[in-house]
Amino acid sequence: MAIKRALISVSDKTGIVEFASELAKLGVELISTGGTKTLLEKEGVPVIGISDVTGFPEILDGRVKTLHPAVHSGLLAIRDDAEHRKVMEELGLGYIDLVIVNLYPFAQTIAKPDVEYADAVENIDIGGPTMLRSAAKNHAFVSVVVDAADYDTVLAEVRENADTTLQTRKRLAAKVFRHTAAYDSLISEYLSGQVGEEFPERYTVTYEKVQDLRYGENPHQKAAFYRKPLAVEGSIATAEQIHGKELSYNNINDANAALQIVKEFTEPAVVAVKHMNPCGVGIGTSVKEAYEKAYAADPTSIFGGIIAANRPIDGETAQLLHEIFLEIVIAPDFTAEALEILQKKKNIRLLKLGNFNEGERKALHLVTSVEGGMLVQESDVHAISEGDLKVATDREPTEAELKQLLIAWKVVKHVKSNAIVLVTEDMTIGIGAGQMNRVGAAKIAIEQAGEKAKGAVLASDAFFPMGDTLEIAAAAGITAVIQPGGSIKDEESIKVANDKGVAMVMTGVRHFKH
C-alpha cells in the first residue's frame, strides 16, 4: 500500500501549503475544494478540483461539493475486498488514501458577542465531518489528519514507507472521532441553549486539555486540566500564568475557590484560601488595605495559601505578599514594581486574569462526577441586597451591622457546609467550615475570633434547627445574625435572639456547599 491520492479541505490553513507541497513532491495527487484549492494554486502547488473527481459542480454556495459517491466510495472501499475492488473498477472510481480536513469555525463564530443565529447555523460543517468519519472508519486503509500538529508525523512516515503505519492510522482515527464529537457537542450545546433546553435528555459537553498535571489530589492519582472551548473570561481556565512553577490539581481547585469569593465584591477585596475554604477575607479602600485585613483575619492559615484580589497588585501590596510563603497570587493585573518584587520568589505562581465583572455573575453549569454518572446544576450566583432582608427580631440591625452582615453573607455561601462566618470591620474574624453540625461550626468560628467576637456579626449558610447556636453566639458577644430562616423551630431561634438583644435578619435563601 502507498498514499497516492489525498483530499485536502481546511478552514484553518496553518501549515497546509508546506504540507501539501511536500506531499506533491512525493508524488501524491492532491484533490481540493473551494478556498483551499485557490490557496494551493496561488502558491504553485499542483492540485485538481473536487468537481474533476465527482463530475459535478460545487453547488448551493458550496454547501454541496464532497457529498458524492465518487468521494465516499474512494474513502470507504475496503481495499482487500475483491467485490469492493470490482465495483470501484467497473464504475471507474478512484481510491482516496489520505484526507486532510478541519471544520468550519463554529466555536469562533459563536464566540462573537453579536453573532446572529443564522450565521452560527451556516457555520455548521456537514461535508467535513462526513469525510472525516468515512476516512476514520476505514483507517485500516486510509490516513486521516484533522490536526496540523500531525502533519510532520505523516510526512515522515510517507517519506520512509510510502504510507503511514497502522498504529498511526488508529491514533489519527481516534483523534478524528474526538474532534467530531467535540464539534457536535458545541453545536448541540448552542442549539439547546437557543431553545431553552437547560437540562436536556442527553447532556454532552466538551473540554480541551490545557495541561497534564503531575498528579491529582494525592501523588498516587493521575490528573489533567481541561477547559471549555468558550471558557468564561476572567476565570482560572483563561488566566495567564506569568510567573512560577506549574499549577497542581489542588492549586487549580483552591485558586478557583478564591476567585469565586473575590468576585462577590465590587469594592477592593482580597481573599485567602486554604483547602477550598476561605481563611481570610478583607475589604478596604485599596488592595493593600484589603490584604492587610485578610492577613489579620488568620495569620496562621494564610501561610502556604492562595490569594485572590479583585484589583491590580501594586508595589506596596506586593511587598507585604513577599513577606510570607504563598502558593499563588491571582489578580486582574500586576504593576511592573509588583512583578519585580514577587518574581524574586521563583516558585510563587502569579496568575493574571485580565478584566472580569466582579459582582455581576451569570449562572453556569457545574458538573460533578459520581460513580457511574454525574450531577449537573447551576452555579450559585444568587445575590441579595439590603432590601431583600426580613428582620425577624424586635431589634433591627444598625446600618453598621447591616453592612457587616452583607459581607458575611457573601462569604458564607462559599464555605463548606455546615458553615458559620463571623465578620467585623470589613473582615472575617472566624470561619467554621465543613462541620457535621451547626453548633460545631459556630464554636470553631467563635474560638478563632476570640475577643474580636464581641460586637461582631454572624452568618449561617442554612437555618438554625434550634436555638442552641444563637445561645453560644450571644454568649460570645455577637450582636447581629443573618440566616436563611425556614426552620420549623424558627420561633425558638427568634426568642433566643430577642432575649439576648441580638438583631436577626432572614434571607429566605440557603447556601449549602458540599
Side-chain angles (χ1 to χ4, degrees):
M1 290 180 58
I3 290 180
K4 299 176 181 178
R5 207 162 178 236
L7 193 159
I8 307 175
S9 180
V10 292
S11 291
D12 179 359
K13 296 176 173 57
T14 303
I16 194 60
V17 171
E18 296 79 6
F19 185 41
S21 297
E22 290 303 311
L23 289 173
K25 290 174 184 176
L26 292 168
V28 178
E29 181 183 54
L30 304 180
I31 307 164
S32 193
T33 66
T36 306
K37 177 176 178 287
T38 300
L39 173 65
L40 295 178
E41 286 177 331
K42 179 183 175 183
E43 297 296 328
V45 180
V47 61
I48 63 173
I50 194 70
S51 297
D52 296 325
V53 175
T54 63
F56 204 86
E58 297 184 24
I59 61 172
L60 305 180
D61 297 320
R63 281 189 168 202
V64 178
K65 50 194 173 190
T66 60
L67 298 169
H68 193 280
V71 173
H72 288 278
S73 59
L75 296 174
L76 286 165
I78 299 174
R79 311 301 170 83
D80 57 4
D81 184 296
E83 185 60 30
H84 283 207
R85 290 200 308 272
K86 178 183 176 184
V87 169
M88 295 290 287
E89 186 175 343
E90 288 175 350
L91 296 177
L93 299 171
Y95 299 107
I96 298 173
D97 311 301
L98 171 63
V99 171
I100 305 105
V101 168
N102 54 54
L103 309 177
Y104 291 174
F106 183 78
Q108 295 91 321
T109 301
I110 63 172
K112 300 173 185 174
D114 57 348
V115 63
E116 296 286 342
Y117 179 78
D119 191 27
V121 171
E122 194 58 32
N123 276 278
I124 297 175
D125 202 330
I126 302 301
T130 307
M131 286 189 291
L132 288 174
R133 291 174 64 86
S134 293
K137 175 177 179 175
N138 205 26
H139 64 266
F141 307 101
V142 180
S143 303
V144 55
V145 182
V146 76
D147 185 351
D150 294 308
Y151 289 171
D152 288 345
T153 298
V154 171
L155 276 176
E157 292 189 8
V158 174
R159 286 192 186 104
E160 184 173 349
N161 301 309
D163 196 5
T164 58
T165 65
L166 178 58
Q167 186 61 31
T168 293
R169 293 196 296 276
K170 285 181 177 180
R171 181 179 62 80
L172 294 174
K175 181 180 277 193
V176 161
F177 283 110
R178 292 196 300 272
H179 186 77
T180 57
Y183 192 77
D184 285 342
S185 178
L186 268 180
I187 296 168
S188 166
E189 185 177 0
Y190 175 78
L191 294 180
S192 296
Q194 292 295 306
V195 296
E197 288 280 2
E198 190 171 8
F199 297 107
E201 75 286 349
R202 283 184 173 83
Y203 191 86
T204 56
V205 290
T206 184
Y207 293 85
E208 300 166 346
K209 185 188 280 190
V210 176
Q211 66 191 87
D212 287 308
L213 302 173
R214 285 188 300 153
Y215 52 81
E217 282 184 293
N218 299 290
H220 60 275
Q221 295 171 269
K222 294 180 181 178
F225 180 34
Y226 291 81
R227 69 170 161 235
K228 294 205 75 174
L230 302 177
V232 177
E233 184 183 2
S235 66
I236 296 302
T238 58
E240 177 189 0
Q241 185 171 350
I242 57 178
H243 180 71
K245 60 184 182 180
E246 239 180 35
L247 293 169
S248 71
Y249 181 97
N250 292 331
N251 288 157
I252 293 167
N253 255 333
D254 286 342
N256 182 64
L259 182 56
Q260 299 316 303
I261 303 171
V262 84
K263 281 186 174 184
E264 295 282 348
F265 299 96
T266 54
E267 56 271 67
V270 170
V271 174
V273 161
K274 286 287 287 289
H275 300 290
M276 298 285 286
N277 278 307
C279 56
V281 178
I283 315 299
T285 57
S286 67
V287 70
K288 175 177 177 285
E289 183 185 351
Y291 170 72
E292 287 172 331
K293 290 181 177 181
Y295 176 82
D298 189 346
T300 301
S301 297
I302 199 172
F303 183 86
I306 280 80
I307 295 291
N310 64 357
R311 296 290 191 278
I313 300 296
D314 55 29
E316 284 187 318
T317 308
Q319 190 59 56
L320 295 175
L321 295 169
H322 183 69
E323 291 172 3
I324 65 170
F325 167 60
L326 295 170
E327 290 278 3
I328 304 174
V329 179
I330 313 157
D333 206 347
F334 298 79
T335 67
E337 183 184 2
L339 285 177
E340 185 179 351
I341 294 167
L342 292 173
Q343 288 177 340
K344 291 176 182 176
K345 292 186 174 181
K346 67 177 183 178
N347 288 332
I348 189 172
R349 291 95 161 173
L350 303 180
L351 299 184
K352 178 181 173 181
L353 290 165
N355 295 323
F356 65 90
N357 296 321
E358 67 276 7
E360 273 182 47
R361 312 296 302 284
K362 179 182 177 182
L364 303 172
H365 279 189
L366 298 179
V367 178
T368 302
S369 296
V370 297
E371 189 170 9
M374 68 179 185
L375 296 167
V376 182
Q377 69 168 343
E378 286 185 339
S379 54
D380 186 357
V381 295
H382 187 276
I384 60 167
S385 63
E386 189 175 321
D388 299 319
L389 302 177
K390 176 185 175 183
V391 179
T393 49
D394 296 337
R395 183 173 83 79
E396 294 189 5
T398 66
E399 281 301 312
E401 287 172 332
L402 271 174
K403 179 185 176 185
Q404 303 306 303
L405 287 170
L406 290 173
I407 292 172
W409 189 249
K410 289 177 179 180
V411 175
V412 80
K413 71 183 277 192
H414 295 279
V415 179
K416 294 284 187 180
S417 302
N418 287 316
I420 296 290
V421 171
L422 306 186
V423 166
T424 188
E425 297 178 352
D426 297 352
M427 60 183 282
T428 57
I429 55 171
I431 297 174
Q435 298 305 299
M436 286 63 73
N437 64 74
R438 201 154 298 281
V439 174
K443 286 179 177 178
I444 291 171
I446 290 167
E447 181 181 355
Q448 184 186 12
E451 288 298 311
K452 292 180 182 178
K454 292 178 181 178
V457 305
L458 178 151
S460 173
D461 65 326
F463 62 61
F464 300 119
M466 52 196 69
D468 48 5
T469 304
L470 275 170
E471 291 275 6
I472 65 169
I478 298 297
T479 63
V481 170
I482 186 169
Q483 59 123 330
S487 168
I488 60 173
K489 292 189 177 182
D490 271 350
E491 289 305 318
E492 180 180 329
S493 296
I494 294 169
K495 182 179 184 306
V496 171
N498 281 331
D499 289 345
K500 305 294 185 181
V502 174
M504 184 162 66
V505 297
M506 295 183 176
T507 65
V509 177
R510 187 185 74 186
H511 284 304
F512 271 165
K513 185 175 177 64
H514 288 84

